[in-house]
Amino acid sequence: MIRKLKSPAKSQWNEIFVRPVIEENLKDGITQILMEVRKNGDEALIKYTERFDGVRLDDLRVGEKEIREAGALVPADLKKAILQAIGNISRYHSAQLPESMSVETMPGIKAYQVFRPIDKVGLYIPGGTAPLLSTLMMLGIPAKIAECPEIIVCTPPDSSGNIHPAILFIAAELGIRNIFKVGGAQAIAAMAYGTRTIPGVYKIFGPGNSFVTQAKELVQLDGVSIDMPAGPSELLVYADKSAHPDFIASDLLSQAEHGPDSQVILVTDDEDMLERTDQAIRKQLEDLPRKQIAVQALENSCLIHEPDLEKAFELINAYAPEHLILACKDPRDKVSLVSNAGSIFLGSWSAEAIGDYAAGPNHTLPTNHHARAYSGVSVQTFMKRISVQEVTAEGLLHIGQTVETLAASEELVGHQRAVSIRRAYLEKR
Ligand SMILES: [Zn+2]
């Protein structure tokens, strides 16, 4: 079921990494939805919600009363778990707030940077069979810590027109009041263009199915930013003989159950570990409720035996996994070998699922090789950095000639003059 490979040659790597392409041609349909929401606003949202979510809504906005009453519908143990996760995620992200810096690049030339929150952000929280409570925490908390003034949440309603009470409980805990019952591409359109009920935003965050992902790609053409290119989840475990096959199998299956297009990979220097992990996967699969999904994901996955440490990490860095578990001796020392990964989990106790929910760091991470160039969501993803520069008369005299020479070499006389006029003024004084 899951492929086994022995020390694959570099020329084979791309083939190993191939992701299942479950790409229907959705673009025309999505463009249609975007256009219609842009033109007809709420009316289009109500129409699409009836079509896709099976419920006719009078009001897209979640009322204050619904939010207030949601708390009573959430079981005490779930509330406690949510509050503990919020605590850890808040602690980690608060520490991420950028520090200011200031530099005098030359006498009389001062430069520094200031950070500002993005004024309006939209968070998309998928609903359906498994409402992603954790995603609301992972996006809402950094947005709050960045102090974004306007935070909008869109999430699809169930067929009775309700939002999962735990979603509303989390929103209330975070002080998020603008929650709207709309999902899919129509929700992305609403946040991108704004409707009478739903305010438009400058940046849209959050995972989703291929409709949502493609809609996010498309609204970028209209000047709306998005968090990052999204794709199906992936995990790579690097294990040596000190690891536990049962643990590795459970980690691989935890990501395989996300979706049939998920991908999980084991790289180990120990052949016996590979075989025992394979057996453990088979055993744990038997009674996994999402077995059907996991089995499909395993078809695109593999177990790799690679005795050469250097080659193993070359392969890991080429893959650039969203999640990387180092289940080996002295895992902290191995971090220096990693150049591309979304998030790294050290040692046998650091189950990736802990990071998905509650350790503290963000779970919104780059997939599909994007960890080569992208980072996961952080407080700074909700902020902009603005540079500030101040030149005194002394500074102008120091740098003037350099700028004039550079401007002249680009044949931009207007630029040159902006300096020469000032220099002449100072020299006349
Ligand atoms: Zn996961």
Side-chain angles (χ1 to χ4, degrees):
M1 160 183 60
I2 186 164
R3 278 176 301 164
K4 293 181 200 171
L5 301 163
K6 215 180 142 111
S7 212
K10 232 176 176 175
S11 54
Q12 264 182 283
W13 290 359
N14 277 339
E15 190 195 314
I16 299 170
F17 300 160
V18 165
R19 305 299 305 258
V21 188
I22 308 185
E23 199 172 311
E24 312 101 285
N25 192 7
L26 305 169
K27 206 174 155 197
D28 291 349
I30 292 168
T31 305
Q32 176 63 34
I33 293 174
L34 298 182
M35 270 168 43
E36 207 175 319
V37 172
R38 199 169 190 175
K39 196 164 140 243
N40 299 331
D42 289 347
E43 200 188 301
L45 297 180
I46 287 166
K47 176 183 117 180
Y48 284 118
T49 304
E50 187 167 18
R51 183 182 303 171
F52 296 124
D53 302 298
V55 57
R56 173 106 198 151
L57 297 174
D58 297 322
D59 195 358
L60 295 164
R61 174 187 278 277
V62 177
E64 282 292 327
K65 192 165 160 267
E66 271 177 284
I67 299 176
R68 240 181 300 118
E69 288 170 358
L73 303 172
V74 181
D77 59 342
L78 178 55
K79 264 189 200 166
K80 196 175 152 207
I82 286 170
L83 293 175
Q84 195 164 59
I86 288 178
N88 286 354
I89 298 164
S90 300
R91 274 184 284 280
Y92 181 82
H93 288 80
S94 295
Q96 279 185 333
L97 275 169
E99 300 213 358
S100 58
M101 60 82 140
S102 171
V103 180
E104 195 170 28
T105 57
M106 205 178 219
I109 303 181
K110 240 192 246 158
Y112 59 101
Q113 50 190 24
V114 293
F115 290 85
R116 297 287 182 266
I118 298 172
D119 287 331
K120 305 165 186 210
V121 296
L123 315 182
Y124 183 74
I125 310 300
T129 51
L132 293 182
L133 318 176
S134 51
T135 298
L136 181 53
M137 296 192 271
M138 292 291 180
L139 297 177
I141 291 169
K144 273 285 166 186
I145 291 172
E147 298 183 19
C148 296
E150 200 169 345
I151 303 171
I152 306 300
V153 170
C154 284
T155 187
D158 65 20
S159 55
S160 332
N162 295 319
I163 303 294
H164 195 287
I167 295 268
L168 300 181
F169 172 72
I170 293 167
E173 280 297 317
L174 301 182
I176 295 172
R177 292 266 169 258
N178 289 317
I179 310 159
F180 301 95
K181 298 173 184 177
V182 57
Q186 58 275 22
I188 303 304
M191 292 191 278
Y193 309 125
T195 69
R196 194 159 34 79
T197 308
I198 304 181
V201 300
Y202 298 147
K203 190 168 184 178
I204 299 172
F205 294 75
N209 58 21
S210 38
F211 282 89
V212 168
T213 306
Q214 283 206 24
K216 279 171 73 186
E217 296 285 332
L218 289 169
V219 297
Q220 282 189 96
L221 302 173
D222 292 319
V224 180
S225 297
I226 65 164
D227 47 359
M228 69 179 77
S233 193
E234 61 210 21
L235 166 68
L236 190 148
V237 179
Y238 176 77
D240 63 14
K241 65 173 184 305
S242 73
H244 302 256
D246 288 339
F247 296 1
I248 301 172
S250 71
D251 289 325
L252 295 174
L253 288 173
S254 77
Q255 286 317 289
E257 77 171 356
H258 271 297
D261 48 3
S262 296
Q263 187 171 56
V264 296
I265 295 177
L266 169 68
V267 178
T268 179
D269 62 356
D270 185 50
E271 248 187 312
D272 187 45
M273 181 62 60
L274 189 150
E275 291 305 327
R276 285 161 64 207
T277 302
D278 185 31
Q279 286 157 22
I281 290 173
R282 288 164 199 276
K283 183 146 177 291
Q284 290 180 28
L285 253 181
E286 282 167 19
D287 61 349
L288 190 70
R290 287 169 74 95
K291 178 178 176 178
Q292 289 312 323
I293 293 170
V295 167
Q296 290 176 69
L298 292 176
E299 299 288 343
N300 328 300
S301 300
C302 58
L303 309 174
I304 299 173
H305 177 230
E306 179 48 72
D308 183 282
L309 181 77
E310 205 175 302
K311 216 174 138 203
F313 277 83
E314 208 183 320
L315 184 148
I316 292 168
N317 287 321
Y319 183 62
E322 178 191 19
H323 307 101
L324 170 63
I325 297 181
L326 300 178
C328 53
K329 227 176 130 255
D330 304 321
R332 224 187 287 170
D333 297 341
K334 300 279 190 308
V335 173
S336 62
L337 303 175
V338 181
S339 47
N340 300 325
S343 189
I344 307 176
F345 297 76
L346 301 183
S348 284
W349 307 110
S350 306
E352 195 250 283
I354 299 171
D356 274 354
Y357 292 107
N362 212 282
H363 77 193
T364 313
L365 298 165
T367 55
N368 208 6
H369 310 315
H370 282 299
R372 292 166 181 168
Y374 277 85
S375 310
V377 163
S378 71
V379 168
Q380 287 204 31
T381 322
F382 290 87
M383 302 178 103
K384 296 108 37 181
R385 186 179 56 241
I386 306 173
S387 56
V388 184
Q389 34 204 315
E390 184 177 8
V391 180
T392 62
E394 186 204 7
L396 184 96
L397 291 174
H398 276 124
I399 199 69
Q401 187 58 59
T402 297
V403 175
E404 282 191 52
T405 305
L406 292 170
S409 80
E410 290 188 351
E411 295 177 29
L412 294 174
V413 175
H415 285 66
Q416 189 182 2
R417 207 170 279 165
V419 174
S420 63
I421 284 178
R422 287 180 167 83
R423 281 221 291 172
Y425 179 88
L426 288 172
E427 276 150 17
K428 255 195 286 169
R429 252 196 334 196

